[in-house]
């Protein structure tokens, strides 16, 4: 059952929330750590920096070319 539908019935919502308190508390306490860990794993493609070369007007031009399969 979806979370929104589970808590839609106002008569039983308080009881359901009390039953799920442990799960909710765990999620709240660990979400920031999980987001931080995922962010640290993320990487990006940076454009090579050549001395004396003209700069691209699009700072993501290298990424766009790679995404299109031209690079």
């Amino acid at each position: 059952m979806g979370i929104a539908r589970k808590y839609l019935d106002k008569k039983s919502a308080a009881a359901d929330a009390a039953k799920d308190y442990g799960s909710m508390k765990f999620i709240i306490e660990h979400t920031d750590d999980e987001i931080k860990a995922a962010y640290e794993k993320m990487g990006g493609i940076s454009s090579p920096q050549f001395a004396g070369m003209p700069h691209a007007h699009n700072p993501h031009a290298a990424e766009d070319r790679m995404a299109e399969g031209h690079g």
Side-chain angles (χ1 to χ4, degrees):
M1 178 182 293
I3 292 174
R5 186 168 294 277
K6 184 175 185 178
Y7 296 111
L8 190 59
D9 180 12
K10 293 179 182 178
K11 291 181 182 179
S12 64
D16 289 338
K19 290 177 191 173
D20 292 340
Y21 178 77
S23 298
M24 291 180 190
K25 183 177 178 185
F26 179 84
I27 291 168
I28 291 169
E29 289 175 350
H30 293 90
T31 299
D32 289 339
D33 296 335
E34 291 179 19
I35 291 171
K36 183 179 177 184
Y39 183 75
E40 288 174 356
K41 288 182 183 178
M42 290 174 32
I45 301 171
S46 61
S47 299
Q49 300 297 320
F50 298 109
M53 298 293 290
H55 295 287
H57 295 289
N58 178 0
H60 301 287
E63 296 168 3
D64 294 343
R65 285 193 302 274
M66 291 179 74
E68 293 173 4
H70 298 293

